[in-house]
Amino acid sequence: MSIHPGTAAKRKAPENQAAAGTAKVRRRSPTRVNPALYLFPLPAVAVIAFFLVMPTLQAFQYAITDWNGFSAAFNYVGLDNFIRAFTKDSLFTNALTNNLKFVLLVVIAQTAFSLVLALLLTKNSRGSILLRALFFFPTILSSVSVAFIWKFIYDPNFGLANSVLRTVGVDGGAYLGNDAQALYWVAITQVWFHSGQMMVVYIAGLQAIPKELYEAAEMDGANKWQQFKSITWPFVAPATSIVVAYTTVQSFKAFDLILGIAGNPPKSSLDILSTRIYSTFANSEFGYAAAQSIIFMAMIALVTWLQRRLLRLTPKGE
Amino acid sequence: MLASLSRRAILAIYAVIIIIPLTVVAFGSFKSTQELFAGPFSLPHSLSPDNFAEVVGGQNLGNSFINSAIVTGISVPLTLFLASLAGYAVSRLKGFMSWAIFGFLVLGMAIPAQANMVPLYVLFGRLGLLDSLAGLILANVVSTLPIAVFILGGFMRTLPKELYEASSIDGSGPWKTYSSIALPLSAPSIAAAAIFLFVIHWNELLYPLLFIQSPGNRTLPLALLSFQGEFQTNYPLLFAGVILASLPVVVAYVFLQRYFVAGITAGASKG
């Protein structure tokens, strides 16, 4: 089989004319769609409709009930579950606050850090390629594995961080044990976990910038910072919008990492929306858990929309 | 000069921040608790397999490993198969239908798993899929099908139309064209998607946590999580578990790095 479509088609053409004659009439026009093609997406469409779309729509129905998951009887309670979440349930508002704080921290830190790494490793030298592979590595590990590694780093008695600090004569901290700081330490873990992945997105963006632009700027006497501000940053805007959007969703859903590092259920200083929804579900408050998951979905949509409005990440020069 | 020096310094420091914890875990998995706490950075005294034996046999992680292998081994090809069928149709159909099918399938990327987990749990309960590997396979397929369609369909749309037309002039039906033209030509994007799905399915925690009750049906991430409570500070044992759970992905990463970067980036660039 030829990998050059043009030549394959050309080679076929004369053969076809020669073979035409009798068969020509019966042959279906190649531009008409074969109805059998409609069967191809059917399995995927059925699976998605039945196991993804339907449950999602049902979540809205569950959300206005007080169903406990077992009994046949339940009542429609209107918006009570939503009102309860925002006004009467301090566990939920705590998880919401934690989650928004966590997202904000991780998005800012991870976007900035992965851009720095990408800027330092844009050139395709051997050293750069090796370091990219190393920095990318944590992303492939499971969240529970990463959680265990960092649990040991943060362990106040035997942990890595404090034994390093001890050798230089500094008293270490309690890290995850300190409720005021715990979320920040987990944010650092999250950035370690996924910055390499976002670095790769940025490198692709940086490598697409025409080199002539920098050469011209250099000739005009622009310094590195000016070059970054007026060439690099506007040109990597599409990459930035991918990184910000992806990091947002990723840190909203840091469910596995939190459970691995803080246990199930996590203590309140590390409780985020996804872990709270799971706890509510495990407590067999199905209706209330469904309402919480709808708030969760709305929060992701809202934050993503706000980011787009605030950052106005549209590529310049396009 | 100063710029190049600080560049090297930043890169070196971050390399150390990645390498040190990984080395400590690798070394630590061969140590006793006392040995680890006395010198976390030192080489292990012996390559004693005690921790691994305890984890694999005593804690039954060997069984969880097999469960994970079964689930991932089926759910990845199944997702790829369904996604490539759909992607192929989308690339050949025209106009509204193509757009509508693609849109419907890809829309699911916007729905986080936690959003519909309660109804899905109820549905799986009715279908008798709770506490079974089949249920986990189905959940994996459902949750990653949208992104797989996005990656494969996106790629297949860029294949030259002339190829398909040449094939149908030859009298090949859609199935023949799919299997002998569309699939082989999409190999790079299928490989990238396969890696992406492999990492996600192998590391999946939410669905096992939601559906699995019996310890015998636990996958690796769930079994590891249950260690958390039991062996609070028995880090060498936790580390041996981490190594076991990471081994297949790490081995694949060493040999198929190119596809990893392509696949995981394609997954990230879905926006």
Side-chain angles (χ1 to χ4, degrees), chain A residues 113-296:
Chain A
F113 189 56
S114 59
L115 178 58
V116 168
L117 291 179
L119 285 168
L120 299 180
L121 296 174
T122 310
K123 291 209 185 82
N124 284 329
S125 68
R126 280 188 79 147
S128 292
I129 290 170
L130 197 75
L131 283 176
R132 277 183 219 159
L134 178 68
F135 295 168
F136 187 83
F137 182 82
T139 293
I140 69 168
L141 300 173
S142 75
S143 306
V144 183
S145 298
V146 170
F148 285 0
I149 296 171
W150 282 81
K151 232 166 85 82
F152 180 61
I153 294 176
Y154 289 149
D155 189 304
N157 301 315
F158 320 104
L160 272 195
N162 279 353
S163 34
V164 171
L165 289 177
R166 236 172 270 131
T167 56
V168 292
V170 180
D171 280 338
Y175 304 101
L176 303 168
N178 182 333
D179 281 335
Q181 299 173 352
L183 201 64
Y184 295 88
W185 297 112
V186 180
I188 290 177
T189 303
Q190 176 80 355
V191 171
W192 182 88
F193 193 4
H194 289 302
S195 282
Q197 187 186 10
M198 294 302 115
M199 167 196 79
V200 171
V201 176
Y202 262 132
I203 288 174
L206 289 173
Q207 288 183 337
I209 303 176
K211 289 206 174 47
E212 297 78 25
L213 287 175
Y214 293 104
E215 286 161 15
E218 198 108 351
M219 290 218 285
D220 289 346
N223 63 32
K224 288 281 176 208
W225 171 244
Q226 287 167 326
Q227 289 181 22
F228 175 81
K229 226 176 56 182
S230 50
I231 303 173
T232 312
W233 180 247
F235 268 88
V236 292
T240 304
S241 78
I242 292 171
V243 168
V244 168
Y246 193 74
T247 305
T248 302
V249 176
Q250 206 173 43
S251 29
F252 259 116
K253 297 199 288 193
F255 178 79
D256 318 19
L257 186 71
I258 296 275
L259 287 193
I261 213 163
N264 182 19
K267 58 177 181 168
S268 70
S269 62
L270 287 176
D271 204 12
I272 60 172
L273 287 176
S274 48
T275 51
R276 179 95 308 262
I277 296 169
Y278 183 79
S279 301
T280 309
F281 161 81
N283 201 26
S284 46
E285 294 185 86
F286 280 31
Y288 188 37
Q292 290 181 343
S293 57
I294 285 165
I295 298 172
F296 175 65

Side-chain angles (χ1 to χ4, degrees), chain B residues 124-146:
Chain B
F124 271 37
R126 286 190 188 133
L127 297 174
L129 288 168
L130 294 181
D131 202 15
S132 76
L133 299 186
L136 295 183
I137 292 168
L138 181 61
N140 279 345
V141 171
V142 172
S143 65
T144 49
L145 198 49

Side-chain angles (χ1 to χ4, degrees), chain B residues 30 53 61 96 113 150 193 201 205 209 216 235 237 244 259:
Chain B
F30 292 102
L61 239 63
F96 176 75
F150 181 79
H201 292 180
L205 177 68
L209 189 63
Y235 288 106
L237 216 55
L244 188 73
Y259 294 112

